[in-house]
DNA sequence: ACAAGATGGTTGTAGAGACAATCATCGGGA
DNA sequence: TCCCGATGATTGTCTCTACAACCATCTTGT
């Protein structure tokens, strides 16, 4: 089976996307680390909790929404628990399961952190694009997601 | 200074992009790990060397092109050197500097690995987009890069 | 010619994620 | 009812990256 190499246009698009993949996470991460001593992933975990009913979610559900393996999430939540931003308690309905809940402190922390984070996202993504490009981006990222995340775990909330 | 929150369209675009940022690197990484026991970053290092004159580059230049800190690159190259995919030797013109060169083994490895990698990129990115979307993607990623990588280190080769 | 700062690179240490192994509980079939 | 496979979660180990400290060489100004 012969390889279908990328033509010049495809190559340009891919190389630039790869560069964004490499650089953008670092930018977001530094800002959050610097201003809030939070990983981007930790921030995302807290954000997902904040949107859930009672700010509570089962570990498995939280892992899905944040695209983490359960072991990873377990470690992260343990750390967040140490900082009293999140708390864990056994799930009443299922003794195997654990619930994670955003604490009042965590909620405050999130509210204090969100503006800076949004500002960073604007500065490096939203505000450098035209409104038309923003719609295009939604379409493009959506298409890629369908192949990379067929079950729609990560973007479930915002889908269609 | 009041926060300019994201409206619904912007939010959709951003959430999807964030999901891609989170998932796509993992997909690329697994394929390379599985089929070639190579990190995506290691692959990228070798790819950059393969395109350089004499397949040789100074550590600093290589670090820039691959968006790594020098310490990171140093560790990675040491590992690759252990597998005889890359070799290091002092730079003749500047005794402080070190050159990294792709070995014959490394070159073979890269040629053997490239088709599978390209196939993965096609499957999850290129082939799920229309030709029009591919051009749009180049524009969008280009705009983001200008704010995130103003010096154009990473995408220098393919720019304009 | 020499000192002082800048540049190029490596090493050590600590933190975060991947993966495998493990444990506890649930659910379904004999 | 009891057993067994499936599910939910945690822990331990290994690898990789970031950051800081460090050393060597180059360059500039006097």
């Amino acid at each position: 089976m012969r390889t279908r190499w990328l033509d010049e246009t495809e190559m340009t698009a891919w190389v630039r996307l790869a560069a964004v993949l490499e650089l953008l996470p670092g930018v977001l991460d530094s800002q959050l680390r610097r201003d809030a001593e939070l990983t981007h992933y930790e921030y995302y975990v807290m954000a997902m909790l904040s949107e859930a009913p009672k700010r509570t979610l089962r570990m498995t559900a939280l892992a899905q929404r944040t695209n983490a393996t359960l072991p990873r999430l377990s470690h992260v939540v343990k750390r967040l628990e140490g900082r009293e931003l999140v708390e864990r308690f056994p799930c009443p309905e299922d003794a195997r399961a654990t619930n994670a809940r955003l604490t009042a402190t965590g909620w405050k922390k999130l509210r204090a952190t969100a503006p800076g984070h949004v500002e960073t996202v604007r500065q490096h993504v939203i505000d450098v694009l035209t409104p038309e490009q923003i719609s295009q981006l939604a379409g493009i990222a959506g298409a890629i997601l369908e192949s990379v995340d067929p079950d729609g775990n990560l973007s479930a909330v915002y889908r269609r």
Side-chain angles (χ1 to χ4, degrees), chain A:
Chain A
M1 179 175 153
R2 285 192 68 268
T3 301
R4 293 156 52 225
W5 299 102
L6 303 185
D7 68 28
E8 204 180 310
T9 312
E10 293 169 339
M11 192 53 127
T12 302
W14 166 242
V15 168
R16 290 185 186 173
L17 176 59
V20 170
L21 249 40
E22 189 70 32
L23 292 169
L24 194 47
V27 171
L28 299 173
D29 238 72
S30 325
Q31 182 267 323
L32 284 169
R33 278 202 138 85
R34 179 164 43 78
D35 297 348
E37 296 180 325
L38 238 38
T39 302
H40 182 242
Y41 179 72
E42 292 171 335
Y43 177 88
Y44 207 73
V45 165
M46 291 174 61
M48 286 305 110
L49 283 178
S50 79
E51 291 174 2
K54 300 195 170 193
R55 292 171 199 165
T56 301
L57 237 34
R58 278 162 68 149
M59 292 295 281
T60 304
L62 189 51
Q64 275 204 346
R65 278 177 179 65
T66 59
N67 181 46
T69 55
L70 219 30
R72 177 181 180 190
L73 180 63
S74 188
H75 282 132
V76 170
V77 169
K78 190 197 290 182
R79 273 176 256 147
L80 290 175
E81 199 174 22
R83 298 166 65 182
E84 308 200 352
L85 299 172
V86 167
E87 56 192 354
R88 274 187 289 195
F89 60 96
C91 175
E93 292 93 36
D94 186 337
R96 293 171 299 180
T98 305
N99 279 330
R101 181 168 49 203
L102 194 63
T103 64
T105 310
W107 173 246
K108 261 190 250 171
K109 175 80 166 178
L110 191 60
R111 293 193 57 105
T113 305
H117 177 59
V118 170
E119 186 47 45
T120 307
V121 171
R122 278 209 170 278
Q123 181 184 342
H124 294 293
V125 180
I126 302 298
D127 287 354
V128 303
L129 302 177
T130 65
E132 201 189 350
Q133 284 180 313
I134 291 177
S135 318
Q136 294 171 356
L137 175 55
I140 292 169
I144 295 176
L145 277 185
E146 290 199 16
S147 101
V148 152
D149 174 32
D151 301 337
N153 291 327
L154 247 175
S155 50
V157 183
Y158 299 98
R159 240 173 164 183
R160 192 107 328 125

